[in-house]
Amino acid sequence: MHFYIHIPFCESKCHYCAFTSLKKENYEKSYFKALSRDINFHLKKFKIHHNQIKTLFIGGGTPSCIHTSNYEYIFEILHPYLAKNAEISCEANPNSATLNWLKAMKNIGVNRISFGAQSFHSEKLKFLGRIHDQKMIFKALENSHKAGFTNINLDLIYDTKMDDKKMLEFELLNLKKIKPLITHLSAYNLTIESKTAFAKKEHFKKNAPNLMKFFIQEIIQLGFFQYEISNFSKNKNSMCKHNLSYWKGKDYIGCGLSAVGFHKNQRFYTAKNLKSYIENPTFRNIEKLSPQDLNLEHLFLGLRSIVGIEEKKLSLAQKQKADLLVKEKKLEFKKGKYHNHNFLISDELALYF
Ligand SMILES: C[S@@+](CC[C@H](N)C(=O)[O-])C[C@H]1O[C@@H](n2cnc3c(N)ncnc32)[C@H](O)[C@@H]1O
Ligand code: SF4
């Protein structure tokens, strides 16, 4: 089983971001109390046994703007259920992940830290609405090592209107500098989300497929292994097991405001606002997925990553199409699975089915 926990608090709102991120004000304590009820309830509901949780991901929001005592409280509940070698990730922002915070999180059991850097360029950072600078990114990475982390990810965003070849070369130059300090990189092509500051103005996104190709090729040249359209690891051991489980269509429990869960053919959504979540944290809206929905998801996720698509999950007509793509050398068939090696055309391929 896999487990996701959402921390819906941030210090400020980035211009591109549609994730649930609120000012924590004085809700911190009541949120974590509700969260612990939510976690206890769902561990029982899904009959989770000791040592059964293989990956735990604490995402946000900004988990690093929350005092570590709140996580201690949550880990007291979760600890017996975590597998001995579980991957335990936590997101953090470079400005709030202090050495003390990192040390305490490491002590609690977190063994993978993921920083939202987004860019190394001061103007681009301002344009994105970030409140940190390049120095804070370097410091946060250094501190993570001091705290004993060996599994470290960095998030970047590109394809904003400020990204031309020169800007991407600047990002790559800095990536090269910090490469010894990280084991994983997520490079996200900007999505313009509705109800964000970026949605209100046009042309905030560049929409430049050639630059995307250039950036990805250069990241690979730096020695990273691309295992999903936006995800790169330094070696096979540092791929994010939690995200791989999503792409493989595995079941996961999601707790916390706006967390999503998935079990068999059902998706679970929490109450939509903080007050209702705190009042009733175990409530879930259930969406039933049809076999067609599941099939489409399997195609999209499998083709965008090294996961691939399973022959046994395809209809006869889909299998014939997949075999044709093998003949055209667009897919490779290996051990009951079709694999795509060019993630840039993955959505195009998925739509062909
Ligand atoms: C769930 S967010 C939270 C991370 C953390 N709060 C931070 O900002 O550092 C995880 C990552 O998603 C990416 N992201 C969020 N909104 C995006 C968007 N509209 N387009 C592309 N990437 C986005 C960012 O790289 C971000 O670091
Ligand atoms: S990108 Fe991260 S810090 Fe910025 S608003 Fe979204 S969750 Fe918060």
Side-chain angles (χ1 to χ4, degrees):
M1 183 53 94
H2 305 273
F3 213 105
Y4 176 80
I5 293 177
H6 195 77
I7 308 298
F9 303 112
C10 287
E11 291 154 292
S12 65
K13 186 76 193 170
C14 305
H15 301 157
Y16 52 86
C17 181
F19 287 92
T20 302
S21 52
L22 314 161
K23 286 239 165 4
K24 56 183 172 177
E25 290 166 4
N26 47 5
Y27 287 113
E28 205 170 316
K29 281 276 166 291
S30 45
Y31 182 74
F32 274 84
K33 216 166 160 197
L35 183 59
S36 68
R37 262 182 70 199
D38 191 2
I39 294 172
N40 270 318
F41 177 87
H42 283 93
L43 286 169
K44 284 201 186 80
K45 182 177 173 189
F46 288 101
K47 300 189 174 68
I48 305 302
H49 299 297
H50 283 185
N51 306 319
Q52 222 185 351
I53 300 173
K54 292 182 189 147
T55 70
L56 166 66
F57 196 104
I58 305 169
T62 305
S64 53
C65 74
I66 299 293
H67 196 274
T68 50
S69 57
N70 294 298
Y71 297 108
E72 278 162 21
Y73 180 54
I74 294 301
F75 270 74
E76 263 173 40
I77 306 169
L78 280 169
H79 199 258
Y81 298 93
L82 292 165
K84 294 278 170 287
N85 56 353
E87 175 191 271
I88 306 174
S89 304
C90 184
E91 286 184 334
N93 285 30
N95 56 296
S96 48
T98 60
L99 180 58
N100 280 341
W101 187 87
L102 289 160
K103 277 183 180 166
M105 292 306 273
K106 182 82 182 37
N107 271 340
I108 294 170
V110 172
N111 52 28
R112 183 176 184 274
I113 199 95
S114 173
F115 286 109
Q118 322 312 353
S119 173
F120 297 99
H121 193 276
S122 58
E123 291 305 311
K124 184 171 157 189
L125 284 167
K126 266 191 222 141
F127 167 73
L128 291 169
R130 300 293 293 184
I131 53 171
H132 66 260
D133 58 22
Q134 192 196 80
K135 268 196 195 145
M136 291 177 191
I137 303 174
F138 292 168
K139 189 81 197 158
L141 292 174
E142 217 178 274
N143 281 342
S144 306
H145 280 267
K146 277 190 193 153
F149 284 100
T150 50
N151 211 354
I152 303 172
N153 170 58
L154 203 78
D155 288 343
L156 291 180
I157 292 184
Y158 69 99
D159 203 31
T160 73
K161 76 164 185 188
M162 290 190 71
D163 288 299
D164 50 15
K165 197 154 178 240
K166 209 168 139 206
M167 176 66 83
L168 294 183
E169 275 166 351
F170 178 80
E171 305 287 28
L172 288 160
L173 191 76
N174 283 289
L175 255 184
K176 202 171 170 180
K177 280 190 209 157
I178 55 126
K179 197 186 140 198
L181 300 176
I182 61 172
T183 48
H184 192 282
L185 173 74
S186 299
Y188 295 110
N189 195 298
L190 174 70
T191 310
I192 300 292
E193 304 279 2
S194 60
K195 294 187 192 142
T196 61
F198 274 7
K200 294 185 191 118
K201 289 202 182 139
E202 279 179 17
H203 312 309
F204 274 1
K205 182 173 165 67
K206 191 124 209 183
N207 271 321
N210 282 344
L211 285 177
M212 178 179 186
K213 200 169 163 191
F214 165 76
F215 199 41
I216 290 177
Q217 275 170 353
E218 292 298 311
I219 291 171
I220 294 169
Q221 273 294 313
L222 279 180
F224 288 91
F225 163 67
Q226 188 186 25
Y227 67 106
E228 197 259 355
I229 187 137
S230 314
N231 284 282
F232 304 81
S233 65
K234 279 227 299 231
N235 56 58
K236 298 216 165 149
N237 289 334
S238 53
M239 290 192 279
C240 177
K241 295 184 182 74
H242 187 82
N243 285 341
L244 276 167
S245 75
Y246 288 158
W247 307 327
K248 286 178 184 165
K250 303 268 187 203
D251 290 344
Y252 56 91
I253 296 174
C255 289
L257 176 64
S258 304
V260 180
F262 179 73
H263 184 69
K264 288 189 178 145
N265 60 346
Q266 292 184 325
R267 198 158 274 148
F268 302 88
Y269 301 91
T270 64
K272 282 212 164 60
N273 66 66
L274 185 62
K275 279 196 180 140
S276 349
Y277 177 77
I278 287 174
E279 266 164 34
N280 194 358
T282 60
F283 167 83
R284 294 295 186 269
N285 251 319
I286 299 178
E287 176 192 17
K288 262 208 158 84
L289 300 174
S290 67
Q292 288 84 345
D293 294 333
L294 291 168
N295 179 274
L296 200 67
E297 215 158 88
H298 180 62
L299 287 172
F300 270 97
L301 298 177
L303 291 169
R304 278 170 155 244
S305 68
I306 57 158
V307 167
I309 47 181
E310 289 178 42
E311 183 187 24
K312 63 173 193 279
K313 288 194 177 167
L314 298 182
S315 67
L316 194 61
Q318 285 176 325
K319 199 182 133 24
Q320 283 167 349
K321 286 184 182 173
D323 288 335
L324 203 69
L325 290 172
V326 172
K327 263 196 193 149
E328 290 173 10
K329 300 210 177 341
K330 288 198 172 112
L331 292 183
E332 187 190 12
F333 185 72
K334 227 165 117 184
K335 294 185 188 160
K337 273 183 166 188
Y338 294 93
H339 291 279
N340 170 27
H341 298 302
N342 180 6
F343 301 141
L344 286 170
I345 59 160
S346 53
D347 288 356
E348 231 172 277
L349 288 177
L351 291 171
Y352 169 73
F353 280 90

